[in-house]
Amino acid sequence: MRPTRLHHLAMAALVLLGGWAAMGATPAGAATPAATPTAAPGLIQAMQRDLGLTADQAEARLAAERTATTVEPKARKAAGSAYGGSWFDAEAGRLTVAVTSDASASTLRAVRSAGAAVRTVEHSERQLDAVKTRLDRSSAPQGVSGWHVDPAANTVVVDVVRTASSDNDVRRFLAQARETGPVTVRKVASAPETFAAGTVGGDPYYTGNVRCSIGFSVYGGFVTAGHCGQPGAGVSGWDGSYIGTFQGSSFPDNDYAWVSVGSGWWTVPVVLGWGTVSDQLVRGSAVAPVGASICRSGSTSHWHCGTVLAHNETVVYSQGAVHEMTKTSVCAEPGDSGGSFISGDQAQGVTSGGWGNCSGGGETWFQPINEILNRYGLTLHTA
C-alpha cells in the first residue's frame, strides 16, 4: 500500500480485515504487547452489551476463562478413557469435566487436582463421537440443519428446523439417528446460511462480486472462508487494489481457504476492533472451551461477542455438509464470512455461516483456525 493509505488501513480495514487482522496495517496502528494480557475497555463494554455482564463480571470471566483453557488439556489427560467432554461453567467460573461412572477414585482425584470440577455421566466422549461419526456418513434431508456432541447433556444433539419437524424424511432421519446411540433433537428457528455478500461499501476484500472478511494473518497471507473463493481467484482490497490469490480453498465438507499476499500488502497479527474495542493483538490459538466467551470481527456487522455453544458440529448448508465446526451465540450478517473469531488474545477460527442477524440475534459457526493451519501447513502470525 502507499504510505498515505497506512492510517486508514490500520484503523478502517486493518487490512481488509472484516474479520481477520491481516494485511495492510502498520505496527504503529497496533497496541504494544503487554506482559500480562489485560482486557481493553471496549472489549469489556462489548461483553456488557452482548452477554449482559457488569464490567467487574466481564473482567472476572475473562480471567476464569484463561484459567479454564489452561486446565482443559491437563484434566483431559487425567480423565483418560473415562473422559466425557468438558465445558466452561460461567456461573461457577471454572471448567467442568464429564467423567464416566466407571472411573476410579484416583482418576476423579486427578481431574480435580488438575483444577476442574467433575460431573459423572453415562457416555464417554469416544462413545458420543462414534455416534456423531455415524451421522456424518449419512445424507441429511432438507430441514435437518446439523448435529454436534453436547458434553454437558452427554448426548448428540440434532438440530431440526421447527417448520420441518413433521416432514416424513426428517422423521425417518431422526428415527435412524436414534438407533445409533444417545441422540436428542433440538428445534431451531431456521437453517444456517453462509455469510458472503454482494459488493457493498466497507472494509472487506472482494473476489469478483463477492464480499467477505479477512480472517487471521499467517506468514505469507491470510486465512478466510472457503465459500468466498476458489483456488486461483484474484482478491482485491478495500481500496480496489490487488492483494493476492486464493492458494487453497475447500467448501463444502470444510469451509476454509488461504490467500497469498503481495503487491505492497503485508500481514500483521491484529484483529480489527472497529472502534468498539481497541484493535486486538493475536498471541496464539489455544482453543476456548464450550461455555467460554468469544468475539467476532467482520466487515458488515463489525464487533460482537457471545459464547461457545459446541465444538465439532456438522452443519448442513444448502450446498452440503461442513464438518468440525464450532457453534457460537454470536450474531453475524452477510459479508462477515471469513472474519475472525477470537477469545481474549487467542485466535479461534474463521466465520462460516449461521442464522439470524445482529438486530434480532442468532447463531454463527466458525471453522477452527488450527485445522486450517494444519491443512495448509501455515503458521499463524502472532504478536
PDB file of all heavy atoms in Angstrom, residues 144-177:
ATOM      1  N   VAL A 144     -33.037 -30.769   8.332  1.00  0.00           N
ATOM      2  CA  VAL A 144     -32.058 -31.108   9.364  1.00  0.00           C
ATOM      3  C   VAL A 144     -30.866 -30.181   9.156  1.00  0.00           C
ATOM      4  O   VAL A 144     -30.215 -30.220   8.115  1.00  0.00           O
ATOM      5  CB  VAL A 144     -31.613 -32.576   9.269  1.00  0.00           C
ATOM      6  CG1 VAL A 144     -30.510 -32.869  10.276  1.00  0.00           C
ATOM      7  CG2 VAL A 144     -32.798 -33.510   9.507  1.00  0.00           C
ATOM      8  N   SER A 145     -30.583 -29.330  10.139  1.00  0.00           N
ATOM      9  CA  SER A 145     -29.586 -28.278   9.915  1.00  0.00           C
ATOM     10  C   SER A 145     -28.215 -28.591  10.501  1.00  0.00           C
ATOM     11  O   SER A 145     -27.268 -27.834  10.270  1.00  0.00           O
ATOM     12  CB  SER A 145     -30.078 -26.945  10.486  1.00  0.00           C
ATOM     13  OG  SER A 145     -30.277 -27.023  11.878  1.00  0.00           O
ATOM     14  N   GLY A 146     -28.079 -29.689  11.265  1.00  0.00           N
ATOM     15  CA  GLY A 146     -26.764 -30.039  11.782  1.00  0.00           C
ATOM     16  C   GLY A 146     -26.843 -30.896  13.020  1.00  0.00           C
ATOM     17  O   GLY A 146     -27.937 -31.204  13.523  1.00  0.00           O
ATOM     18  N   TRP A 147     -25.671 -31.294  13.527  1.00  0.00           N
ATOM     19  CA  TRP A 147     -25.612 -32.097  14.750  1.00  0.00           C
ATOM     20  C   TRP A 147     -24.252 -31.933  15.397  1.00  0.00           C
ATOM     21  O   TRP A 147     -23.260 -31.628  14.735  1.00  0.00           O
ATOM     22  CB  TRP A 147     -25.895 -33.569  14.458  1.00  0.00           C
ATOM     23  CG  TRP A 147     -25.134 -34.151  13.306  1.00  0.00           C
ATOM     24  CD1 TRP A 147     -23.894 -34.713  13.323  1.00  0.00           C
ATOM     25  CD2 TRP A 147     -25.579 -34.236  11.947  1.00  0.00           C
ATOM     26  NE1 TRP A 147     -23.531 -35.144  12.076  1.00  0.00           N
ATOM     27  CE2 TRP A 147     -24.542 -34.869  11.204  1.00  0.00           C
ATOM     28  CE3 TRP A 147     -26.755 -33.862  11.281  1.00  0.00           C
ATOM     29  CZ2 TRP A 147     -24.647 -35.114   9.836  1.00  0.00           C
ATOM     30  CZ3 TRP A 147     -26.852 -34.092   9.926  1.00  0.00           C
ATOM     31  CH2 TRP A 147     -25.818 -34.712   9.215  1.00  0.00           C
ATOM     32  N   HIS A 148     -24.210 -32.116  16.712  1.00  0.00           N
ATOM     33  CA  HIS A 148     -22.961 -31.975  17.454  1.00  0.00           C
ATOM     34  C   HIS A 148     -23.061 -32.734  18.773  1.00  0.00           C
ATOM     35  O   HIS A 148     -24.163 -33.061  19.234  1.00  0.00           O
ATOM     36  CB  HIS A 148     -22.663 -30.497  17.753  1.00  0.00           C
ATOM     37  CG  HIS A 148     -23.620 -29.866  18.719  1.00  0.00           C
ATOM     38  ND1 HIS A 148     -24.830 -29.340  18.324  1.00  0.00           N
ATOM     39  CD2 HIS A 148     -23.557 -29.683  20.066  1.00  0.00           C
ATOM     40  CE1 HIS A 148     -25.464 -28.858  19.374  1.00  0.00           C
ATOM     41  NE2 HIS A 148     -24.712 -29.062  20.443  1.00  0.00           N
ATOM     42  N   VAL A 149     -21.903 -32.992  19.366  1.00  0.00           N
ATOM     43  CA  VAL A 149     -21.851 -33.601  20.693  1.00  0.00           C
ATOM     44  C   VAL A 149     -22.015 -32.505  21.739  1.00  0.00           C
ATOM     45  O   VAL A 149     -21.330 -31.490  21.705  1.00  0.00           O
ATOM     46  CB  VAL A 149     -20.511 -34.328  20.909  1.00  0.00           C
ATOM     47  CG1 VAL A 149     -20.375 -34.793  22.365  1.00  0.00           C
ATOM     48  CG2 VAL A 149     -20.391 -35.527  19.967  1.00  0.00           C
ATOM     49  N   ASP A 150     -22.952 -32.702  22.662  1.00  0.00           N
ATOM     50  CA  ASP A 150     -23.162 -31.774  23.775  1.00  0.00           C
ATOM     51  C   ASP A 150     -22.633 -32.439  25.037  1.00  0.00           C
ATOM     52  O   ASP A 150     -23.283 -33.313  25.605  1.00  0.00           O
ATOM     53  CB  ASP A 150     -24.653 -31.454  23.928  1.00  0.00           C
ATOM     54  CG  ASP A 150     -24.930 -30.427  25.010  1.00  0.00           C
ATOM     55  OD1 ASP A 150     -24.079 -30.240  25.898  1.00  0.00           O
ATOM     56  OD2 ASP A 150     -26.016 -29.815  24.982  1.00  0.00           O
ATOM     57  N   PRO A 151     -21.435 -32.060  25.501  1.00  0.00           N
ATOM     58  CA  PRO A 151     -20.845 -32.759  26.650  1.00  0.00           C
ATOM     59  C   PRO A 151     -21.637 -32.563  27.933  1.00  0.00           C
ATOM     60  O   PRO A 151     -21.713 -33.474  28.762  1.00  0.00           O
ATOM     61  CB  PRO A 151     -19.439 -32.147  26.746  1.00  0.00           C
ATOM     62  CG  PRO A 151     -19.562 -30.813  26.089  1.00  0.00           C
ATOM     63  CD  PRO A 151     -20.556 -31.000  24.987  1.00  0.00           C
ATOM     64  N   ALA A 152     -22.223 -31.388  28.122  1.00  0.00           N
ATOM     65  CA  ALA A 152     -22.976 -31.134  29.353  1.00  0.00           C
ATOM     66  C   ALA A 152     -24.237 -31.990  29.419  1.00  0.00           C
ATOM     67  O   ALA A 152     -24.634 -32.471  30.489  1.00  0.00           O
ATOM     68  CB  ALA A 152     -23.325 -29.655  29.463  1.00  0.00           C
ATOM     69  N   ALA A 153     -24.889 -32.195  28.272  1.00  0.00           N
ATOM     70  CA  ALA A 153     -26.093 -33.030  28.221  1.00  0.00           C
ATOM     71  C   ALA A 153     -25.741 -34.503  28.008  1.00  0.00           C
ATOM     72  O   ALA A 153     -26.611 -35.365  28.128  1.00  0.00           O
ATOM     73  CB  ALA A 153     -27.019 -32.560  27.105  1.00  0.00           C
ATOM     74  N   ASN A 154     -24.461 -34.783  27.666  1.00  0.00           N
ATOM     75  CA  ASN A 154     -23.984 -36.144  27.443  1.00  0.00           C
ATOM     76  C   ASN A 154     -24.794 -36.855  26.364  1.00  0.00           C
ATOM     77  O   ASN A 154     -25.211 -37.998  26.509  1.00  0.00           O
ATOM     78  CB  ASN A 154     -24.012 -36.950  28.739  1.00  0.00           C
ATOM     79  CG  ASN A 154     -23.118 -38.189  28.686  1.00  0.00           C
ATOM     80  OD1 ASN A 154     -23.537 -39.283  29.048  1.00  0.00           O
ATOM     81  ND2 ASN A 154     -21.894 -38.020  28.234  1.00  0.00           N
ATOM     82  N   THR A 155     -24.976 -36.151  25.254  1.00  0.00           N
ATOM     83  CA  THR A 155     -25.754 -36.683  24.147  1.00  0.00           C
ATOM     84  C   THR A 155     -25.305 -36.017  22.857  1.00  0.00           C
ATOM     85  O   THR A 155     -24.544 -35.041  22.875  1.00  0.00           O
ATOM     86  CB  THR A 155     -27.261 -36.429  24.370  1.00  0.00           C
ATOM     87  OG1 THR A 155     -28.021 -37.065  23.346  1.00  0.00           O
ATOM     88  CG2 THR A 155     -27.564 -34.934  24.340  1.00  0.00           C
ATOM     89  N   VAL A 156     -25.751 -36.572  21.734  1.00  0.00           N
ATOM     90  CA  VAL A 156     -25.563 -35.928  20.431  1.00  0.00           C
ATOM     91  C   VAL A 156     -26.847 -35.176  20.111  1.00  0.00           C
ATOM     92  O   VAL A 156     -27.937 -35.765  20.113  1.00  0.00           O
ATOM     93  CB  VAL A 156     -25.250 -36.957  19.336  1.00  0.00           C
ATOM     94  CG1 VAL A 156     -25.207 -36.287  17.964  1.00  0.00           C
ATOM     95  CG2 VAL A 156     -23.928 -37.649  19.628  1.00  0.00           C
ATOM     96  N   VAL A 157     -26.729 -33.887  19.863  1.00  0.00           N
ATOM     97  CA  VAL A 157     -27.892 -33.042  19.584  1.00  0.00           C
ATOM     98  C   VAL A 157     -28.045 -32.879  18.077  1.00  0.00           C
ATOM     99  O   VAL A 157     -27.101 -32.477  17.395  1.00  0.00           O
ATOM    100  CB  VAL A 157     -27.753 -31.666  20.249  1.00  0.00           C
ATOM    101  CG1 VAL A 157     -28.935 -30.768  19.878  1.00  0.00           C
ATOM    102  CG2 VAL A 157     -27.653 -31.809  21.762  1.00  0.00           C
ATOM    103  N   VAL A 158     -29.233 -33.187  17.568  1.00  0.00           N
ATOM    104  CA  VAL A 158     -29.552 -32.980  16.156  1.00  0.00           C
ATOM    105  C   VAL A 158     -30.502 -31.793  16.054  1.00  0.00           C
ATOM    106  O   VAL A 158     -31.566 -31.786  16.680  1.00  0.00           O
ATOM    107  CB  VAL A 158     -30.206 -34.232  15.537  1.00  0.00           C
ATOM    108  CG1 VAL A 158     -30.586 -33.963  14.075  1.00  0.00           C
ATOM    109  CG2 VAL A 158     -29.267 -35.422  15.628  1.00  0.00           C
ATOM    110  N   ASP A 159     -30.103 -30.783  15.279  1.00  0.00           N
ATOM    111  CA  ASP A 159     -30.933 -29.594  15.098  1.00  0.00           C
ATOM    112  C   ASP A 159     -31.858 -29.776  13.899  1.00  0.00           C
ATOM    113  O   ASP A 159     -31.417 -30.158  12.806  1.00  0.00           O
ATOM    114  CB  ASP A 159     -30.059 -28.360  14.873  1.00  0.00           C
ATOM    115  CG  ASP A 159     -29.336 -27.924  16.137  1.00  0.00           C
ATOM    116  OD1 ASP A 159     -29.794 -28.285  17.233  1.00  0.00           O
ATOM    117  OD2 ASP A 159     -28.320 -27.220  16.026  1.00  0.00           O
ATOM    118  N   VAL A 160     -33.127 -29.462  14.130  1.00  0.00           N
ATOM    119  CA  VAL A 160     -34.136 -29.579  13.084  1.00  0.00           C
ATOM    120  C   VAL A 160     -34.889 -28.258  12.992  1.00  0.00           C
ATOM    121  O   VAL A 160     -35.295 -27.692  14.016  1.00  0.00           O
ATOM    122  CB  VAL A 160     -35.129 -30.727  13.395  1.00  0.00           C
ATOM    123  CG1 VAL A 160     -36.263 -30.753  12.380  1.00  0.00           C
ATOM    124  CG2 VAL A 160     -34.404 -32.058  13.421  1.00  0.00           C
ATOM    125  N   VAL A 161     -35.061 -27.764  11.767  1.00  0.00           N
ATOM    126  CA  VAL A 161     -35.838 -26.541  11.578  1.00  0.00           C
ATOM    127  C   VAL A 161     -37.274 -26.807  12.021  1.00  0.00           C
ATOM    128  O   VAL A 161     -37.895 -27.800  11.615  1.00  0.00           O
ATOM    129  CB  VAL A 161     -35.798 -26.090  10.108  1.00  0.00           C
ATOM    130  CG1 VAL A 161     -36.664 -24.838   9.903  1.00  0.00           C
ATOM    131  CG2 VAL A 161     -34.358 -25.809   9.678  1.00  0.00           C
ATOM    132  N   ARG A 162     -37.773 -25.933  12.869  1.00  0.00           N
ATOM    133  CA  ARG A 162     -39.069 -26.156  13.512  1.00  0.00           C
ATOM    134  C   ARG A 162     -40.182 -26.461  12.506  1.00  0.00           C
ATOM    135  O   ARG A 162     -40.991 -27.369  12.702  1.00  0.00           O
ATOM    136  CB  ARG A 162     -39.439 -24.930  14.350  1.00  0.00           C
ATOM    137  CG  ARG A 162     -40.730 -25.095  15.168  1.00  0.00           C
ATOM    138  CD  ARG A 162     -40.945 -23.925  16.106  1.00  0.00           C
ATOM    139  NE  ARG A 162     -39.953 -23.917  17.180  1.00  0.00           N
ATOM    140  CZ  ARG A 162     -38.944 -23.064  17.265  1.00  0.00           C
ATOM    141  NH1 ARG A 162     -38.778 -22.135  16.333  1.00  0.00           N
ATOM    142  NH2 ARG A 162     -38.089 -23.128  18.267  1.00  0.00           N
ATOM    143  N   THR A 163     -40.224 -25.730  11.410  1.00  0.00           N
ATOM    144  CA  THR A 163     -41.307 -25.909  10.435  1.00  0.00           C
ATOM    145  C   THR A 163     -41.184 -27.213   9.649  1.00  0.00           C
ATOM    146  O   THR A 163     -42.138 -27.606   8.960  1.00  0.00           O
ATOM    147  CB  THR A 163     -41.329 -24.728   9.450  1.00  0.00           C
ATOM    148  OG1 THR A 163     -40.027 -24.601   8.838  1.00  0.00           O
ATOM    149  CG2 THR A 163     -41.667 -23.432  10.176  1.00  0.00           C
ATOM    150  N   ALA A 164     -40.032 -27.884   9.757  1.00  0.00           N
ATOM    151  CA  ALA A 164     -39.830 -29.131   9.016  1.00  0.00           C
ATOM    152  C   ALA A 164     -39.873 -30.354   9.920  1.00  0.00           C
ATOM    153  O   ALA A 164     -39.639 -31.472   9.457  1.00  0.00           O
ATOM    154  CB  ALA A 164     -38.490 -29.082   8.282  1.00  0.00           C
ATOM    155  N   SER A 165     -40.184 -30.155  11.194  1.00  0.00           N
ATOM    156  CA  SER A 165     -40.096 -31.264  12.154  1.00  0.00           C
ATOM    157  C   SER A 165     -41.083 -32.394  11.874  1.00  0.00           C
ATOM    158  O   SER A 165     -40.875 -33.522  12.311  1.00  0.00           O
ATOM    159  CB  SER A 165     -40.300 -30.741  13.579  1.00  0.00           C
ATOM    160  OG  SER A 165     -41.554 -30.099  13.703  1.00  0.00           O
ATOM    161  N   SER A 166     -42.167 -32.109  11.151  1.00  0.00           N
ATOM    162  CA  SER A 166     -43.159 -33.151  10.843  1.00  0.00           C
ATOM    163  C   SER A 166     -42.940 -33.781   9.473  1.00  0.00           C
ATOM    164  O   SER A 166     -43.679 -34.687   9.084  1.00  0.00           O
ATOM    165  CB  SER A 166     -44.581 -32.564  10.903  1.00  0.00           C
ATOM    166  OG  SER A 166     -44.876 -32.112  12.204  1.00  0.00           O
ATOM    167  N   ASP A 167     -41.944 -33.307   8.751  1.00  0.00           N
ATOM    168  CA  ASP A 167     -41.652 -33.852   7.427  1.00  0.00           C
ATOM    169  C   ASP A 167     -41.267 -35.330   7.539  1.00  0.00           C
ATOM    170  O   ASP A 167     -40.519 -35.725   8.431  1.00  0.00           O
ATOM    171  CB  ASP A 167     -40.496 -33.063   6.797  1.00  0.00           C
ATOM    172  CG  ASP A 167     -40.136 -33.571   5.428  1.00  0.00           C
ATOM    173  OD1 ASP A 167     -40.764 -33.148   4.449  1.00  0.00           O
ATOM    174  OD2 ASP A 167     -39.208 -34.419   5.345  1.00  0.00           O
ATOM    175  N   ASN A 168     -41.776 -36.134   6.628  1.00  0.00           N
ATOM    176  CA  ASN A 168     -41.545 -37.582   6.706  1.00  0.00           C
ATOM    177  C   ASN A 168     -40.067 -37.928   6.590  1.00  0.00           C
ATOM    178  O   ASN A 168     -39.568 -38.814   7.308  1.00  0.00           O
ATOM    179  CB  ASN A 168     -42.334 -38.302   5.605  1.00  0.00           C
ATOM    180  CG  ASN A 168     -43.821 -38.340   5.902  1.00  0.00           C
ATOM    181  OD1 ASN A 168     -44.225 -38.255   7.069  1.00  0.00           O
ATOM    182  ND2 ASN A 168     -44.647 -38.469   4.870  1.00  0.00           N
ATOM    183  N   ASP A 169     -39.336 -37.251   5.706  1.00  0.00           N
ATOM    184  CA  ASP A 169     -37.913 -37.542   5.541  1.00  0.00           C
ATOM    185  C   ASP A 169     -37.132 -37.166   6.798  1.00  0.00           C
ATOM    186  O   ASP A 169     -36.200 -37.874   7.198  1.00  0.00           O
ATOM    187  CB  ASP A 169     -37.353 -36.784   4.337  1.00  0.00           C
ATOM    188  CG  ASP A 169     -37.858 -37.342   3.013  1.00  0.00           C
ATOM    189  OD1 ASP A 169     -38.285 -38.511   2.985  1.00  0.00           O
ATOM    190  OD2 ASP A 169     -37.818 -36.605   2.011  1.00  0.00           O
ATOM    191  N   VAL A 170     -37.519 -36.070   7.419  1.00  0.00           N
ATOM    192  CA  VAL A 170     -36.863 -35.648   8.652  1.00  0.00           C
ATOM    193  C   VAL A 170     -37.136 -36.651   9.763  1.00  0.00           C
ATOM    194  O   VAL A 170     -36.219 -37.048  10.496  1.00  0.00           O
ATOM    195  CB  VAL A 170     -37.332 -34.238   9.066  1.00  0.00           C
ATOM    196  CG1 VAL A 170     -36.821 -33.890  10.464  1.00  0.00           C
ATOM    197  CG2 VAL A 170     -36.856 -33.201   8.060  1.00  0.00           C
ATOM    198  N   ARG A 171     -38.377 -37.073   9.883  1.00  0.00           N
ATOM    199  CA  ARG A 171     -38.731 -38.025  10.932  1.00  0.00           C
ATOM    200  C   ARG A 171     -38.019 -39.358  10.717  1.00  0.00           C
ATOM    201  O   ARG A 171     -37.566 -40.003  11.675  1.00  0.00           O
ATOM    202  CB  ARG A 171     -40.237 -38.214  10.962  1.00  0.00           C
ATOM    203  CG  ARG A 171     -40.995 -36.942  11.346  1.00  0.00           C
ATOM    204  CD  ARG A 171     -42.488 -37.118  11.283  1.00  0.00           C
ATOM    205  NE  ARG A 171     -42.987 -38.023  12.297  1.00  0.00           N
ATOM    206  CZ  ARG A 171     -44.268 -38.296  12.482  1.00  0.00           C
ATOM    207  NH1 ARG A 171     -45.197 -37.720  11.718  1.00  0.00           N
ATOM    208  NH2 ARG A 171     -44.640 -39.135  13.423  1.00  0.00           N
ATOM    209  N   ARG A 172     -37.867 -39.767   9.475  1.00  0.00           N
ATOM    210  CA  ARG A 172     -37.169 -41.018   9.174  1.00  0.00           C
ATOM    211  C   ARG A 172     -35.687 -40.883   9.545  1.00  0.00           C
ATOM    212  O   ARG A 172     -35.095 -41.805  10.136  1.00  0.00           O
ATOM    213  CB  ARG A 172     -37.315 -41.343   7.692  1.00  0.00           C
ATOM    214  CG  ARG A 172     -36.756 -42.713   7.302  1.00  0.00           C
ATOM    215  CD  ARG A 172     -36.999 -43.012   5.818  1.00  0.00           C
ATOM    216  NE  ARG A 172     -38.413 -42.923   5.488  1.00  0.00           N
ATOM    217  CZ  ARG A 172     -38.946 -41.974   4.725  1.00  0.00           C
ATOM    218  NH1 ARG A 172     -38.196 -41.001   4.234  1.00  0.00           N
ATOM    219  NH2 ARG A 172     -40.240 -41.973   4.461  1.00  0.00           N
ATOM    220  N   PHE A 173     -35.090 -39.732   9.214  1.00  0.00           N
ATOM    221  CA  PHE A 173     -33.682 -39.498   9.551  1.00  0.00           C
ATOM    222  C   PHE A 173     -33.485 -39.531  11.069  1.00  0.00           C
ATOM    223  O   PHE A 173     -32.531 -40.142  11.564  1.00  0.00           O
ATOM    224  CB  PHE A 173     -33.237 -38.146   9.000  1.00  0.00           C
ATOM    225  CG  PHE A 173     -31.821 -37.775   9.352  1.00  0.00           C
ATOM    226  CD1 PHE A 173     -30.762 -38.172   8.552  1.00  0.00           C
ATOM    227  CD2 PHE A 173     -31.537 -37.033  10.496  1.00  0.00           C
ATOM    228  CE1 PHE A 173     -29.445 -37.836   8.875  1.00  0.00           C
ATOM    229  CE2 PHE A 173     -30.235 -36.695  10.835  1.00  0.00           C
ATOM    230  CZ  PHE A 173     -29.189 -37.104  10.018  1.00  0.00           C
ATOM    231  N   LEU A 174     -34.388 -38.906  11.813  1.00  0.00           N
ATOM    232  CA  LEU A 174     -34.268 -38.866  13.270  1.00  0.00           C
ATOM    233  C   LEU A 174     -34.425 -40.253  13.876  1.00  0.00           C
ATOM    234  O   LEU A 174     -33.728 -40.608  14.840  1.00  0.00           O
ATOM    235  CB  LEU A 174     -35.301 -37.902  13.847  1.00  0.00           C
ATOM    236  CG  LEU A 174     -35.115 -36.431  13.484  1.00  0.00           C
ATOM    237  CD1 LEU A 174     -36.246 -35.590  14.064  1.00  0.00           C
ATOM    238  CD2 LEU A 174     -33.769 -35.923  13.984  1.00  0.00           C
ATOM    239  N   ALA A 175     -35.330 -41.054  13.322  1.00  0.00           N
ATOM    240  CA  ALA A 175     -35.511 -42.418  13.830  1.00  0.00           C
ATOM    241  C   ALA A 175     -34.237 -43.234  13.636  1.00  0.00           C
ATOM    242  O   ALA A 175     -33.811 -43.977  14.536  1.00  0.00           O
ATOM    243  CB  ALA A 175     -36.687 -43.083  13.113  1.00  0.00           C
ATOM    244  N   GLN A 176     -33.603 -43.077  12.470  1.00  0.00           N
ATOM    245  CA  GLN A 176     -32.355 -43.794  12.218  1.00  0.00           C
ATOM    246  C   GLN A 176     -31.226 -43.263  13.091  1.00  0.00           C
ATOM    247  O   GLN A 176     -30.379 -44.019  13.557  1.00  0.00           O
ATOM    248  CB  GLN A 176     -31.994 -43.658  10.740  1.00  0.00           C
ATOM    249  CG  GLN A 176     -32.981 -44.356   9.803  1.00  0.00           C
ATOM    250  CD  GLN A 176     -32.725 -44.054   8.340  1.00  0.00           C
ATOM    251  OE1 GLN A 176     -31.961 -43.143   7.999  1.00  0.00           O
ATOM    252  NE2 GLN A 176     -33.372 -44.804   7.454  1.00  0.00           N
ATOM    253  N   ALA A 177     -31.245 -41.951  13.333  1.00  0.00           N
ATOM    254  CA  ALA A 177     -30.205 -41.350  14.175  1.00  0.00           C
ATOM    255  C   ALA A 177     -30.276 -41.888  15.595  1.00  0.00           C
ATOM    256  O   ALA A 177     -29.246 -42.182  16.220  1.00  0.00           O
ATOM    257  CB  ALA A 177     -30.358 -39.833  14.177  1.00  0.00           C
TER     258      ALA A 177
END
